[in-house]
């Protein structure tokens, strides 16, 4: 089975969470215990997440870890478009610069993809990135679609009308 497909189906890619959580331990040269203290996550919970014992961490735990790391919970779970691309870059041994060239999209787009509000042309760029990485475009399209602002289908009311008793 293709490891990319297996990872894309995993509801919580624990390998990605472990990778993301081990970065500050390595870069900041802190212990797992210190990371637990800094994030407010119980040490045993952190260890269970890191070793894969905990399959579905609580949202409060993920939120605390994501806040400390300065990322979204979606990124921590490997569901954001940036985390999917980053994971695939590592799997393919590519840099973001190489991907930009191979896909024919700007490096700025790749590096800032988690922060954009998608437009029609962005989905074309996503298709090119998926093709360059050799993955299904649907996983990138759905991650990008989650970044679209919500649509409001309710009645349109002027501010003055909303304040009337």
């Amino acid at each position: 089975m293709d490891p990319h497909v297996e990872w894309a189906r995993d509801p919580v890619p624990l390998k990605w969470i472990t990778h993301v959580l081990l970065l500050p331990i390595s870069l900041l040269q802190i212990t797992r215990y210190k990371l637990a203290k800094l994030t407010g996550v119980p040490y045993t919970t952190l260890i269970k997440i890191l070793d894969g014992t905990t399959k579905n961490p609580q949202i409060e735990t993920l939120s605390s870890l994501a806040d400390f790391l300065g990322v979204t919970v979606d990124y921590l779970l490997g569901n954001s478009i940036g985390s999917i691309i980053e994971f695939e870059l590592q799997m393919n041994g590519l840099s973001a610069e190489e991907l930009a060239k191979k896909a024919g999209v700007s490096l700025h787009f790749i590096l800032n993809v988690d922060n954009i509000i998608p437009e029609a042309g962005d989905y074309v760029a996503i298709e090119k990135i998926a093709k360059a990485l050799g993955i299904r475009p649907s996983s990138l399209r759905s991650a990008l679609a989650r970044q679209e602002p919500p649509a409001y289908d309710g009645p349109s009311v002027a501010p003055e009308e909303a304040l009337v008793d």
Side-chain angles (χ1 to χ4, degrees), residues 60-133:
E60 295 82 11
T61 300
L62 294 172
S63 211
S64 295
L65 293 167
D67 287 347
F68 175 78
L69 297 170
V71 299
T72 64
V73 171
D74 254 1
Y75 181 89
L76 187 61
L77 292 175
N79 294 331
S80 77
I81 193 163
S83 64
I84 294 169
I85 290 172
E86 191 173 324
F87 178 84
E88 293 298 334
L89 286 173
Q90 290 177 14
M91 293 295 294
N92 289 293
L94 290 172
S95 68
E97 293 83 2
E98 292 167 324
L99 176 60
K101 186 176 180 180
K102 188 174 178 182
V105 300
S106 76
L107 178 60
H108 182 266
F109 179 82
I110 291 172
L111 296 177
N112 294 290
V113 72
D114 274 340
N115 301 317
I116 64 169
I117 296 175
E119 297 176 1
D122 297 330
Y123 287 93
V124 173
I126 289 305
E127 295 281 334
K128 292 178 181 179
I129 291 170
K131 184 177 179 181
L133 290 171

